[in-house]
Amino acid sequence: MRIRSRLVVAAALVAWVALGFVSFGAGLAGLVGGKAAPALDEYGGDNALPIANASGYFQTRQVNGAWWMVTPAGHAFYSLGVDAISTTQGISITNGYANAVRQQYASTDAWAATAAGRLQQWGFNTIGAWSNAELEHRGVAHTRILHLVAGMPTRVNWVFPDVFDPAWPGHLQARVNALISDADVNDPWLLGWYLDNELWWYQDGAFVDQPNNTVVENYIAQPITSTAKLAWVSYLESRYPSIAALNAAWGTQYRAFRGDTPDTLQVTSQITTAAADADKMGFLKLVADKFFSASAAAVRARDAHHLILGVRFLPQPALKPVVEAAAPYVDVLTANLYNKDFANPDLSAIDDMATWSGKPILITEFTARAVDSGMPNGFTAPGKVVPSQEARADAYRIFLDQLLNRPYIVGAHWYSYADDPPLGARLEQSNNWGLVNNLDQPYTALLDRVALYNRNVYATRQGQPDPRLSVPSPIAPTFGAPIFGGPVQLTWSAVAGAGGYTVQLARNPGFFAVQSYITAAPVYTVAAPAAGRWYWRVRVNSSQSDALAYTSPWPFYVYQVAESRPLTAADWPWQPTAAVAITASGGSLSFSGKRDPNSNFASISGTLSSAANDWRNYDYLALDVTSNAPAQLVINLSQRDSDNSFAWFATLQRGDNPLVERIAAATERDVANRKLELDKLGALSIGTRLPAAGQQSSISNVRLLRVQRDSLYQTPVVIPQSITADASGTVSLDWRDYLPVTTTVAYNIYASDGQSRPGNTNTPPLPTLTIDAAAQQSRVRVYRDAGGTLKPMQPNQRYVLHIAPVDVWGQQQP
């Protein structure tokens, strides 16, 4: 992650601090569950899997179709890293992480010894990006970012350089020579070099996968005398023998390639002709080739040994020309992947990168955040916020399992080491990224599990999972899924040799008054659960019946349907193309299609006119989707008599995908934060994007749903009340015995230092923080003063707090 700013140590760790250097294998022995660690070499590689001659440096090898990194000793290595292990965070924040480090450690070296020891204790073997140099050479391999673009004066957007500038190769070599020392060149503990981080391969950083929205648009928009613009013109001259040939292909009327008059290609700053798309993609590949070839050459001229680890792509979606251009020049492709669905991670972009490149891939950032940390978690990019540290551990395990099943993945790095700070100036701050909190206290509920998963990674990747880790993976209902009446089918992944499963339901995440069921198959149907919020979890009967044997509690919501309106073919004025087949029977609508050979995907859709409908009567759109390959569903809302249009997308995996979406959800994506008034809705269209040739997709059983809008129950009885913050300036809240109504989706938590209730509906202040209703406990470290300013709570001071449930329509209990 690029932070684009303007621009009491535990007794168990004392030995790490005293030693300062501990080998990886020794650090792992006998850590968790009373089971000895696998035999590892000093770098953390698998001694039982020698796959290359010892070279003294990290390498890559492909063995039986699976890619591995290789330690300097020649053993298979799977990189498990942590990013941003740093003391430089939060320096200006009173209770930021940097301040905690200064107070608790005699020196930065003492802190680094502890941090490196912790990494090994928790099963990590790599120091990721953005980390302090003091951590290096303490028994853990390290990586470095070269930031090759930094200092390059000619840019085409805020991040990306003009790679055609004659100064570009010299800039690269000068920067490499300044950043790579002789000691680095000979360092066996250096895993490799990142060339840069999250470069803007898209136009001005707008990550939309369209031919007219890449960095090529920035090149075209440059002044007519710039090397960037002239390179674009020269590229087209090399493809077309004359301007007439280009005009024939594009349907344009340019007078000449070059010249400073408006009718020449050199002056044009925007080209929207569809026929130019292929040329733009070709030029994008040329730009990428110039970037990677020159960058790799500069690094190799200085360092012939270490791995070149790519540029840490933001790959959602990936750009094929860029990936293909990078492949010849990097040893490993790298990508920062922030997934929005921990139950079913979407790795399609990474799969594409592997197919296009034939290279191993290292995931250089992923994460999960939890509400029980007490952090605001206001940054939207990394996806859903889970309720607890246990749920973060499950997200880690599910994601890691997906990676281990892919033969081209060679590791994954968690972002980041520490929460910092609770009152950050930017949205990237004040998030529960960390393995430790801002006071340097480890999240043990997370790390106990993570250590288990990490310790077994080599056996898991070779198909030999640790029986201790035989925890099923929940499948459905997915985390937070809405259920609209009827039976609820709970399903999870089968575990070999399970001998049956115990599945539990409860109305709270603490599983009080639990309902338990035994089943032989990895499925159980609950006939008619009452309306409201439910939690479910499951374990293998033959596994140890401790907390680690169960999946973490997953919520689902049973809604009482007040009205359901099926949509039939008569509602939809279809305009199918030749690639689309549409059928309608039994009151259901379905259509199927296959990829149009003349375009990147087939977009097939129908539009429902709502001129005679008051859409305020309906809250949800429900539909069943079937696809024989991964596809994408596109739902669009248009406002009547207006240009306002709102869309949302859902990535579909192979198989049946019942979907229920809030109709108003699309309006929340509008860049101007405008809301679509549902009584003004003019049209609803549904379509699919089919990237695979011959692919079939269908949509059926389309319904509009209105749910019962229950009144909110009374406020949780545990507060308002005056509460004293603990020695760390934290207030812990717990309202797990409170039963929310079906439609509660969040809680607003208010905190003040006054003597009265800090929130009411007549003069509502801003909440101190808002958390997902899946959580019913939280830690609060901040309050708002009389002027509404967020401030850190002070140790042993009294504060007044109030929790207000909020429903799906934004109504708040007074």
Side-chain angles (χ1 to χ4, degrees):
M1 173 173 293
R2 183 192 300 274
I3 302 298
R4 296 188 176 99
S5 64
R6 287 157 288 274
L7 263 198
V8 165
V9 178
L13 295 176
V14 170
W16 298 108
V17 180
L19 287 173
F21 175 95
V22 184
S23 71
F24 185 91
L28 280 177
L31 271 179
V32 186
K35 186 171 181 176
L40 303 175
D41 69 16
E42 64 176 316
Y43 301 96
D46 186 356
N47 267 329
L49 193 56
I51 56 177
N53 293 327
S55 67
Y57 301 96
F58 282 93
Q59 312 168 59
T60 60
R61 287 290 188 278
Q62 194 172 25
V63 181
N64 297 325
W67 279 101
W68 292 91
M69 287 187 175
V70 185
T71 69
H75 301 119
F77 180 81
Y78 199 85
S79 180
L80 297 171
V82 180
D83 293 311
I85 314 170
S86 173
T87 58
T88 61
Q89 302 179 71
I91 289 176
S92 63
I93 305 300
T94 302
N95 57 348
Y97 181 68
N99 185 61
V101 170
R102 287 191 295 268
Q103 291 181 353
Q104 296 182 41
Y105 296 93
S107 65
T108 303
D109 278 348
W111 163 82
T114 298
R118 283 174 168 178
L119 291 182
Q120 296 171 86
Q121 183 191 30
W122 299 331
F124 293 103
N125 57 24
T126 308
I127 297 165
W130 321 108
S131 298
N132 280 26
E134 290 90 347
L135 290 154
E136 298 173 4
H137 305 108
R138 298 182 186 272
V140 186
H142 61 272
T143 60
R144 298 253 196 94
I145 305 181
L146 292 171
H147 295 294
L148 292 182
V149 176
M152 180 66 183
T154 49
R155 311 276 184 100
V156 296
N157 61 33
W158 188 68
V159 174
F160 204 86
D162 176 3
V163 295
F164 300 99
D165 187 326
W168 172 240
H171 164 83
L172 289 171
Q173 199 62 65
R175 186 152 181 84
V176 164
N177 291 342
L179 293 173
I180 301 179
S181 68
D182 291 344
D184 293 330
V185 171
N186 297 298
D187 185 358
W189 289 95
L190 175 61
L191 186 67
W193 303 103
Y194 303 118
L195 301 176
D196 219 300
N197 179 74
E198 294 183 1
L199 296 175
W200 286 9
W201 298 97
Y202 297 86
Q203 181 181 8
D204 296 321
F207 302 105
V208 179
D209 185 16
Q210 296 176 355
N212 61 355
N213 203 44
T214 74
V215 71
V216 171
E217 301 302 317
N218 297 123
Y219 271 84
I220 296 173
Q222 295 305 300
I224 62 174
T225 58
S226 71
T227 54
K229 183 59 171 275
L230 293 174
W232 163 245
V233 176
S234 296
Y235 171 76
L236 294 176
E237 286 176 322
S238 72
R239 288 181 57 81
Y240 296 97
S242 66
I243 195 65
L246 181 141
N247 286 331
W250 285 16
T252 51
Q253 296 181 346
Y254 296 120
R255 181 181 59 81
F257 283 103
R258 297 173 184 263
D260 58 3
T261 59
D263 57 353
T264 62
L265 185 69
Q266 189 175 346
V267 173
T268 303
S269 62
Q270 186 176 23
I271 301 170
T272 57
T273 306
D277 288 353
D279 290 325
K280 291 181 181 180
M281 291 294 97
F283 186 66
L284 178 63
K285 189 170 184 178
L286 176 62
V287 169
D289 184 90
K290 293 282 286 186
F291 176 90
F292 285 104
S293 61
S295 298
V299 173
R300 283 288 170 249
R302 182 73 180 95
D303 182 353
H305 303 305
H306 292 103
L307 297 173
I308 294 178
L309 302 176
V311 291
R312 300 165 58 87
F313 286 125
L314 277 176
Q316 294 183 304
L319 284 169
K320 185 177 182 181
V322 177
V323 173
E324 290 177 337
Y329 305 110
V330 303
D331 299 296
V332 180
L333 286 170
T334 48
N336 298 340
L337 184 60
Y338 288 102
N339 221 286
K340 301 208 177 275
D341 184 357
F342 296 133
N344 189 17
D346 179 11
L347 300 181
S348 57
I350 304 298
D351 293 337
D352 287 341
M353 289 173 61
T355 300
W356 297 335
S357 70
K359 288 286 187 174
I361 298 176
L362 173 65
I363 304 301
T364 39
E365 290 182 20
F366 76 104
T367 197
R369 302 165 293 167
V371 296
D372 69 352
S373 65
M375 302 294 279
N377 292 319
F379 196 44
T380 58
K384 193 173 184 69
V385 178
V386 297
S388 65
Q389 299 304 314
E390 291 86 354
R392 288 179 85 199
D394 278 351
Y396 184 95
R397 173 177 57 84
I398 292 167
F399 189 79
L400 193 59
D401 282 348
Q402 291 288 327
L403 300 185
L404 291 170
N405 286 329
R406 284 165 164 78
Y408 57 82
I409 298 290
V410 292
H413 294 181
W414 174 271
Y415 187 91
S416 63
Y417 182 71
D419 288 348
D420 179 77
L423 289 175
R426 303 182 304 273
L427 285 175
E428 294 98 327
Q429 298 175 320
S430 304
N431 288 271
N432 179 212
W433 314 117
L435 304 176
V436 303
N437 65 17
N438 66 296
L439 300 176
D440 199 45
Q441 299 164 339
Y443 288 107
T444 55
L446 165 69
L447 290 162
D448 284 350
R449 290 189 177 200
V450 166
L452 279 171
Y453 309 149
N454 287 351
R455 195 164 58 89
N456 200 54
V457 67
Y458 292 111
T460 301
R461 193 162 196 248
Q462 297 173 78
Q464 304 167 7
D466 186 335
R468 282 281 303 181
L469 302 185
S470 296
V471 180
S473 296
I475 297 175
T478 55
F479 187 96
I483 306 295
F484 293 85
V488 177
Q489 188 175 75
L490 310 174
T491 60
W492 53 91
S493 62
V495 176
Y501 306 87
T502 297
V503 60
Q504 293 186 337
L505 268 73
R507 301 302 298 265
N508 53 78
F511 279 77
F512 310 128
V514 68
Q515 302 174 22
S516 294
Y517 308 94
I518 305 297
T519 177
V523 59
Y524 187 82
T525 300
V526 184
R533 179 171 289 98
W534 289 87
Y535 296 84
W536 73 284
R537 65 183 185 180
V538 63
R539 71 171 174 85
V540 174
N541 286 343
S542 60
S543 68
Q544 299 185 36
S545 57
D546 56 20
L548 295 183
Y550 276 100
T551 60
S552 66
W554 277 31
F556 63 91
Y557 310 95
V558 178
Y559 288 84
Q560 182 178 351
V561 177
E563 183 180 351
S564 176
R565 180 193 166 191
L567 304 179
T568 67
D571 292 305
W572 303 79
W574 291 94
Q575 296 179 343
T577 67
V580 181
I582 302 170
T583 60
S585 63
S588 295
L589 175 73
S590 65
F591 60 80
S592 60
K594 57 186 179 181
R595 181 180 181 274
D596 184 343
N598 298 317
S599 65
N600 291 329
F601 55 82
S603 181
I604 50 183
S605 63
T607 299
L608 173 66
S609 174
S610 63
N613 294 312
D614 182 351
W615 286 74
R616 290 174 298 181
N617 287 338
Y618 300 103
D619 305 302
Y620 293 90
L621 173 72
L623 62 164
D624 296 326
V625 183
T626 303
S627 179
N628 66 353
Q632 188 177 66
L633 183 73
V634 184
I635 304 171
N636 184 274
L637 302 177
S638 299
Q639 187 166 319
R640 186 167 59 249
D641 302 323
S642 170
D643 292 333
N644 285 353
S645 180
F646 306 85
W648 76 89
F649 303 84
T651 297
L652 309 175
Q653 302 302 313
R654 182 178 290 106
D656 295 336
N657 297 269
L659 290 176
V660 181
E661 298 282 355
R662 274 194 71 207
I663 291 173
T667 69
E668 299 169 4
R669 297 174 58 94
D670 183 71
V671 294
N673 294 318
R674 294 171 296 185
K675 300 296 182 182
L676 178 62
E677 298 179 35
L678 296 184
D679 59 336
K680 296 180 180 178
L681 184 64
L684 164 69
S685 65
I686 304 174
T688 60
R689 287 155 51 108
L690 309 175
Q695 181 176 338
Q696 300 294 315
S697 180
S698 65
I699 297 176
S700 61
N701 195 25
V702 182
R703 293 169 295 150
L704 294 171
L705 300 175
R706 182 170 66 87
V707 303
Q708 183 67 44
R709 303 194 182 192
D710 299 325
S711 298
L712 290 165
Y713 289 179
Q714 65 180 6
T715 299
V717 296
V718 293
I719 48 177
Q721 67 182 53
S722 182
I723 301 176
T724 301
D726 64 20
S728 66
T730 302
V731 167
S732 296
L733 306 175
D734 190 326
W735 58 100
R736 283 177 294 177
D737 55 353
Y738 169 74
L739 181 62
V741 296
T742 305
T743 51
T744 300
V745 295
Y747 295 100
N748 284 336
I749 298 180
Y750 297 88
S752 76
D753 58 353
Q755 298 302 311
S756 61
R757 180 169 167 159
N760 61 73
T761 56
N762 295 322
T763 56
L766 292 171
T768 302
L769 68 153
T770 299
I771 62 176
D772 189 278
Q776 292 186 282
Q777 52 189 332
S778 183
R779 290 187 290 176
V780 183
R781 297 193 179 105
V782 294
Y783 74 97
R784 289 190 185 275
D785 64 15
T789 301
L790 274 177
K791 293 184 176 180
M793 288 181 170
Q794 299 303 308
N796 305 314
Q797 297 295 310
R798 295 189 70 79
Y799 297 90
V800 177
L801 291 98
H802 168 58
I803 295 178
V806 180
D807 70 12
V808 70
W809 297 279
Q811 299 170 336
Q812 175 180 301
Q813 172 70 31

PDB file of all heavy atoms in Angstrom, residues 71-85:
ATOM      1  N   THR A  71      15.747 -21.282  -1.323  1.00  0.00           N
ATOM      2  CA  THR A  71      16.647 -20.599  -0.387  1.00  0.00           C
ATOM      3  C   THR A  71      18.084 -20.661  -0.896  1.00  0.00           C
ATOM      4  O   THR A  71      18.416 -21.467  -1.774  1.00  0.00           O
ATOM      5  CB  THR A  71      16.586 -21.238   1.007  1.00  0.00           C
ATOM      6  OG1 THR A  71      17.176 -22.556   0.951  1.00  0.00           O
ATOM      7  CG2 THR A  71      15.154 -21.342   1.505  1.00  0.00           C
ATOM      8  N   PRO A  72      18.955 -19.829  -0.362  1.00  0.00           N
ATOM      9  CA  PRO A  72      20.372 -19.915  -0.752  1.00  0.00           C
ATOM     10  C   PRO A  72      20.978 -21.288  -0.514  1.00  0.00           C
ATOM     11  O   PRO A  72      21.985 -21.641  -1.139  1.00  0.00           O
ATOM     12  CB  PRO A  72      21.028 -18.845   0.139  1.00  0.00           C
ATOM     13  CG  PRO A  72      19.945 -17.839   0.361  1.00  0.00           C
ATOM     14  CD  PRO A  72      18.687 -18.647   0.490  1.00  0.00           C
ATOM     15  N   ALA A  73      20.349 -22.095   0.383  1.00  0.00           N
ATOM     16  CA  ALA A  73      20.839 -23.454   0.638  1.00  0.00           C
ATOM     17  C   ALA A  73      20.240 -24.471  -0.322  1.00  0.00           C
ATOM     18  O   ALA A  73      20.587 -25.659  -0.248  1.00  0.00           O
ATOM     19  CB  ALA A  73      20.518 -23.846   2.084  1.00  0.00           C
ATOM     20  N   GLY A  74      19.307 -24.048  -1.207  1.00  0.00           N
ATOM     21  CA  GLY A  74      18.775 -24.948  -2.222  1.00  0.00           C
ATOM     22  C   GLY A  74      17.450 -25.600  -1.898  1.00  0.00           C
ATOM     23  O   GLY A  74      17.000 -26.488  -2.636  1.00  0.00           O
ATOM     24  N   HIS A  75      16.783 -25.169  -0.811  1.00  0.00           N
ATOM     25  CA  HIS A  75      15.527 -25.798  -0.407  1.00  0.00           C
ATOM     26  C   HIS A  75      14.317 -24.972  -0.836  1.00  0.00           C
ATOM     27  O   HIS A  75      14.401 -23.740  -0.977  1.00  0.00           O
ATOM     28  CB  HIS A  75      15.505 -25.999   1.117  1.00  0.00           C
ATOM     29  CG  HIS A  75      16.622 -26.848   1.615  1.00  0.00           C
ATOM     30  ND1 HIS A  75      17.569 -26.388   2.518  1.00  0.00           N
ATOM     31  CD2 HIS A  75      16.981 -28.123   1.323  1.00  0.00           C
ATOM     32  CE1 HIS A  75      18.439 -27.348   2.772  1.00  0.00           C
ATOM     33  NE2 HIS A  75      18.106 -28.411   2.061  1.00  0.00           N
ATOM     34  N   ALA A  76      13.163 -25.652  -1.002  1.00  0.00           N
ATOM     35  CA  ALA A  76      11.919 -24.980  -1.353  1.00  0.00           C
ATOM     36  C   ALA A  76      11.560 -23.958  -0.289  1.00  0.00           C
ATOM     37  O   ALA A  76      11.675 -24.219   0.917  1.00  0.00           O
ATOM     38  CB  ALA A  76      10.795 -26.003  -1.509  1.00  0.00           C
ATOM     39  N   PHE A  77      11.095 -22.790  -0.749  1.00  0.00           N
ATOM     40  CA  PHE A  77      10.797 -21.674   0.149  1.00  0.00           C
ATOM     41  C   PHE A  77       9.476 -21.063  -0.269  1.00  0.00           C
ATOM     42  O   PHE A  77       9.274 -20.734  -1.446  1.00  0.00           O
ATOM     43  CB  PHE A  77      11.912 -20.627   0.056  1.00  0.00           C
ATOM     44  CG  PHE A  77      11.731 -19.406   0.937  1.00  0.00           C
ATOM     45  CD1 PHE A  77      12.071 -19.452   2.285  1.00  0.00           C
ATOM     46  CD2 PHE A  77      11.244 -18.213   0.411  1.00  0.00           C
ATOM     47  CE1 PHE A  77      11.936 -18.326   3.095  1.00  0.00           C
ATOM     48  CE2 PHE A  77      11.097 -17.088   1.208  1.00  0.00           C
ATOM     49  CZ  PHE A  77      11.442 -17.143   2.560  1.00  0.00           C
ATOM     50  N   TYR A  78       8.555 -20.936   0.680  1.00  0.00           N
ATOM     51  CA  TYR A  78       7.284 -20.251   0.456  1.00  0.00           C
ATOM     52  C   TYR A  78       7.311 -19.000   1.303  1.00  0.00           C
ATOM     53  O   TYR A  78       7.383 -19.070   2.537  1.00  0.00           O
ATOM     54  CB  TYR A  78       6.108 -21.151   0.842  1.00  0.00           C
ATOM     55  CG  TYR A  78       4.788 -20.720   0.235  1.00  0.00           C
ATOM     56  CD1 TYR A  78       4.432 -21.125  -1.042  1.00  0.00           C
ATOM     57  CD2 TYR A  78       3.913 -19.898   0.929  1.00  0.00           C
ATOM     58  CE1 TYR A  78       3.227 -20.739  -1.622  1.00  0.00           C
ATOM     59  CE2 TYR A  78       2.709 -19.498   0.369  1.00  0.00           C
ATOM     60  CZ  TYR A  78       2.373 -19.926  -0.908  1.00  0.00           C
ATOM     61  OH  TYR A  78       1.181 -19.528  -1.476  1.00  0.00           O
ATOM     62  N   SER A  79       7.274 -17.839   0.655  1.00  0.00           N
ATOM     63  CA  SER A  79       7.498 -16.579   1.358  1.00  0.00           C
ATOM     64  C   SER A  79       6.240 -16.145   2.113  1.00  0.00           C
ATOM     65  O   SER A  79       5.215 -15.819   1.502  1.00  0.00           O
ATOM     66  CB  SER A  79       7.905 -15.488   0.358  1.00  0.00           C
ATOM     67  OG  SER A  79       8.126 -14.261   1.018  1.00  0.00           O
ATOM     68  N   LEU A  80       6.321 -16.137   3.419  1.00  0.00           N
ATOM     69  CA  LEU A  80       5.252 -15.634   4.294  1.00  0.00           C
ATOM     70  C   LEU A  80       5.778 -14.378   4.965  1.00  0.00           C
ATOM     71  O   LEU A  80       6.656 -14.442   5.830  1.00  0.00           O
ATOM     72  CB  LEU A  80       4.867 -16.688   5.340  1.00  0.00           C
ATOM     73  CG  LEU A  80       4.283 -17.988   4.774  1.00  0.00           C
ATOM     74  CD1 LEU A  80       4.148 -19.036   5.880  1.00  0.00           C
ATOM     75  CD2 LEU A  80       2.934 -17.739   4.112  1.00  0.00           C
ATOM     76  N   GLY A  81       5.297 -13.227   4.541  1.00  0.00           N
ATOM     77  CA  GLY A  81       5.888 -11.970   4.985  1.00  0.00           C
ATOM     78  C   GLY A  81       4.914 -11.049   5.670  1.00  0.00           C
ATOM     79  O   GLY A  81       3.693 -11.267   5.674  1.00  0.00           O
ATOM     80  N   VAL A  82       5.468 -10.003   6.256  1.00  0.00           N
ATOM     81  CA  VAL A  82       4.690  -8.935   6.881  1.00  0.00           C
ATOM     82  C   VAL A  82       5.270  -7.606   6.389  1.00  0.00           C
ATOM     83  O   VAL A  82       6.489  -7.406   6.405  1.00  0.00           O
ATOM     84  CB  VAL A  82       4.749  -9.003   8.415  1.00  0.00           C
ATOM     85  CG1 VAL A  82       3.931  -7.867   9.030  1.00  0.00           C
ATOM     86  CG2 VAL A  82       4.236 -10.346   8.913  1.00  0.00           C
ATOM     87  N   ASP A  83       4.394  -6.712   5.963  1.00  0.00           N
ATOM     88  CA  ASP A  83       4.808  -5.403   5.469  1.00  0.00           C
ATOM     89  C   ASP A  83       4.813  -4.367   6.594  1.00  0.00           C
ATOM     90  O   ASP A  83       4.189  -4.535   7.635  1.00  0.00           O
ATOM     91  CB  ASP A  83       3.839  -4.915   4.384  1.00  0.00           C
ATOM     92  CG  ASP A  83       3.888  -5.754   3.131  1.00  0.00           C
ATOM     93  OD1 ASP A  83       5.000  -6.005   2.640  1.00  0.00           O
ATOM     94  OD2 ASP A  83       2.820  -6.155   2.639  1.00  0.00           O
ATOM     95  N   ALA A  84       5.504  -3.271   6.319  1.00  0.00           N
ATOM     96  CA  ALA A  84       5.462  -2.066   7.167  1.00  0.00           C
ATOM     97  C   ALA A  84       5.787  -2.365   8.624  1.00  0.00           C
ATOM     98  O   ALA A  84       5.086  -1.926   9.537  1.00  0.00           O
ATOM     99  CB  ALA A  84       4.089  -1.389   7.053  1.00  0.00           C
ATOM    100  N   ILE A  85       6.861  -3.096   8.844  1.00  0.00           N
ATOM    101  CA  ILE A  85       7.359  -3.311  10.211  1.00  0.00           C
ATOM    102  C   ILE A  85       8.257  -2.119  10.495  1.00  0.00           C
ATOM    103  O   ILE A  85       9.446  -2.108  10.183  1.00  0.00           O
ATOM    104  CB  ILE A  85       8.128  -4.637  10.324  1.00  0.00           C
ATOM    105  CG1 ILE A  85       7.354  -5.765   9.647  1.00  0.00           C
ATOM    106  CG2 ILE A  85       8.389  -4.988  11.790  1.00  0.00           C
ATOM    107  CD1 ILE A  85       8.142  -7.048   9.503  1.00  0.00           C
TER     108      ILE A  85
END
